[in-house]
Every structure is written in C-alpha cells, then in structure tokens.
Amino acid sequence: MSDQPKEMSFLGHLEELRWHLVRSTAAIFIVAIVLFVFRSEIYNHFIIAHMNADFITYQVFCDIFTSLGMESSFCNVSIPNKLQALSLTQQLMSSLWVSIILGVILSFPYLLWEMWRFIAPGLHKSERKKSKGFLFIASLLFFIGILFSYYVIMPMSVSFFYGFQISDSIVNNFTLDSYISLFTNTMLGVSLVFELPVVIYFLSKLGLVTPTFLRKYRKHSLVVVLILSAIITPPDVASQVIVSIPILILYEISIYISGFVQKRQLKNAK
C-alpha cells in the first residue's frame, strides 16, 4: 500500500494552505496581544535594556578585553537612558509593532510546524520522518541568532552610536522609531543569517550548491563576512572579530552539511 495520502485538487490545496495561514496568523496575534498587555515590562527589561550601563554584555566585554590587556569602551559606557517620541501615536504604534515582531519571533517554531504540515503530505514516509529534525534544528539556529543579536550585536551597536560624535555642537538624542528599527532589523536579520546551514542543506538537495563550490569560494566568503561584520558592528577590530567568528563557523558547518547531502545522494544513486 502506498504511504502517500490521497491526492487533492488544486482548490483543495489552496483551502488547506489558507487554514495553515489562518492558524499561523492567529498564533502570532495571540502572542502579540499577550506581549502588548505586558508592554511596559517588556520595554523596560528587554527592548531598551541595552541603554543601561550595567547591561551584562558591557561588563563581560570589559572584563574580557581588560584581561587581554586591551582598552575597551565597554568599560565606561555612558548612555542617556531616554528616547524621544515625536508624534502623538508613536508610542502606541511602536508598542503594537514590537508586539507583532516579537510575536513572529516567539511563534517561529509553530510557524515552521504549520509549514511542515502543509508540505508533509507530499513527502514519502521516510522523508517525513527525517524532516522532523528540520523543525528542531531550524528553530534552534533561529533562537541562537536571536540571542547572539540581543547579547552581542545590539549592545555593541547601541554603545557605538551613542558614543559616536562628529562635533560637540551635535547632541545624540535619538528617537524611539530609530531605536526600534535598529532593534527589530538586527534581531530578524541576524537570526535569518543563522539559518545558513538550513538554506545550504536545501540548496545542496536541489543540486544548486556543492561542497566543492563552497570550499572554492571560502576565501571570498571570508571577505564578505568581514564586510558584513563591519557594516553591522562598530568600526573596531575586536567587535568585527566577535561577529565574524560565529558566521564563519556556520559557513564551515554548511560545507560539512553540503558534503553529507552529496554523499547520501551518490549512495542512493547506486
């Protein structure tokens, strides 16, 4: 007996997709509503926590660089703990937007699960069993990226931008919108970068990427990573190295994953 479910019509697939999207959207909004209710606590203890000079990352980096005999601006972080809201609705809209973004982040495993449920009927039984690990690995990498962006990149960015000054006649007095934009873009951007091994896995399955190709352009990728690190971090060597290391590790893991996929495909082809 075939392990494939009965084929559905095109309209049936659309109806199924619609309900997956409805459940995914509902999950995001349920989480977002809960977060909006506790918006003050979330802002004070999570969103704008990087504006406190005693944030744990500043202390840890200060200790690390001091032990290495290096001077560091993290040892004397001075950030005005104030942001400007320049319109009547800015605080409300910011609270709503952040609640939705965090709703997406916290619902990410469920969103992947709904996506998997839509795709799974088209897979063989063995493929469905193996693909379950994808949900765990993709979610794990996503949240590692969230933690890395929150505890590493955001503190470095906030301390740098508040400390950067062209002239004494210019005062850094940033708006709530600019801070939230930096926060959300960093969190989502970095977390998606951490999905690189998953992306390489599927590209390798499709034959679009090979381990030989990845090894050939390893030096080029190093340059790209350093440029990317220079863009998203303060312009000092220590910060760029801190950000570059995990991305390079992910690239090396991706080479191994691509090689593993290629070996499996060659084995199955025999």
Side-chain angles (χ1 to χ4, degrees):
M1 181 181 293
S2 173
D3 61 2
Q4 296 293 322
K6 185 178 179 180
E7 289 190 9
M8 296 174 62
S9 65
F10 177 71
L11 292 178
H13 280 295
L14 286 181
E15 179 66 14
E16 186 72 15
L17 176 61
R18 184 174 74 88
W19 281 108
H20 285 298
L21 294 176
V22 167
R23 286 191 292 267
S24 298
T25 304
I28 293 172
F29 276 97
I30 290 171
V31 176
I33 290 170
V34 173
L35 294 173
F36 184 77
V37 171
F38 296 97
R39 58 190 177 277
S40 295
E41 291 80 1
I42 291 171
Y43 264 78
N44 289 328
H45 302 296
F46 182 69
I47 305 295
I48 60 175
H50 306 100
M51 298 178 66
N52 297 320
D54 59 351
F55 188 72
I56 185 170
T57 301
Y58 302 138
Q59 301 176 19
V60 171
F61 281 0
C62 176
D63 293 340
I64 291 175
F65 291 139
T66 300
S67 65
L68 295 175
M70 301 170 60
E71 293 186 5
S72 174
S73 58
F74 293 111
C75 294
N76 53 358
V77 174
S78 179
I79 301 174
N81 197 11
K82 297 290 182 182
L83 290 170
Q84 293 186 89
L86 300 179
S87 67
L88 288 174
T89 61
Q90 193 169 49
Q91 292 198 51
L92 173 61
M93 297 308 296
S94 173
S95 299
L96 290 171
W97 176 245
V98 167
S99 297
I100 292 173
I101 293 298
L102 292 182
V104 172
I105 290 173
L106 295 178
S107 303
F108 185 76
Y110 179 77
L111 302 181
L112 280 181
W113 184 64
E114 282 290 349
M115 182 180 72
W116 179 82
R117 287 181 62 195
F118 177 70
I119 298 174
L123 303 176
H124 292 285
K125 186 176 181 180
S126 59
E127 291 175 328
R128 288 199 296 270
K129 188 177 297 185
K130 294 175 182 177
S131 64
K132 289 181 179 179
F134 156 77
L135 300 176
F136 173 77
I137 294 172
S139 297
L140 178 64
L141 290 173
F142 183 83
F143 285 113
I144 290 175
I146 291 293
L147 292 174
F148 183 73
S149 63
Y150 184 79
Y151 284 104
V152 178
I153 296 183
M154 269 301 293
M156 289 192 299
S157 299
V158 170
S159 63
F160 169 74
F161 288 123
Y162 266 100
F164 184 79
Q165 195 170 14
I166 300 174
S167 169
D168 292 336
S169 300
I170 304 174
V171 178
N172 287 332
N173 197 5
F174 302 120
T175 65
L176 176 61
D177 270 0
S178 64
Y179 184 90
I180 295 303
S181 178
L182 175 67
F183 183 89
T184 55
N185 290 341
T186 300
M187 297 283 281
L188 292 176
V190 175
S191 60
L192 292 178
V193 169
F194 271 65
E195 294 293 327
L196 178 63
V198 175
V199 174
I200 293 297
Y201 173 81
F202 285 107
L203 291 178
S204 299
K205 290 277 285 185
L206 295 172
L208 299 176
V209 169
T210 64
T212 303
F213 174 84
L214 294 174
R215 292 190 188 99
K216 179 180 178 181
Y217 290 99
R218 181 187 273 119
K219 294 181 179 179
H220 300 78
S221 68
L222 175 60
V223 175
V224 173
V225 167
L226 290 175
I227 293 174
L228 180 63
S229 301
I231 293 173
I232 64 178
T233 62
D236 64 84
V237 177
S239 299
Q240 292 172 18
V241 169
I242 290 172
V243 174
S244 299
I245 289 175
I247 299 178
L248 290 174
I249 292 174
L250 287 172
Y251 189 85
E252 293 300 321
I253 293 174
S254 298
I255 294 176
Y256 171 80
I257 290 173
S258 183
F260 174 77
V261 171
Q262 189 179 65
K263 288 179 182 177
R264 290 294 298 269
Q265 289 178 332
L266 291 175
K267 183 179 179 181
N268 294 332
K270 292 181 180 179

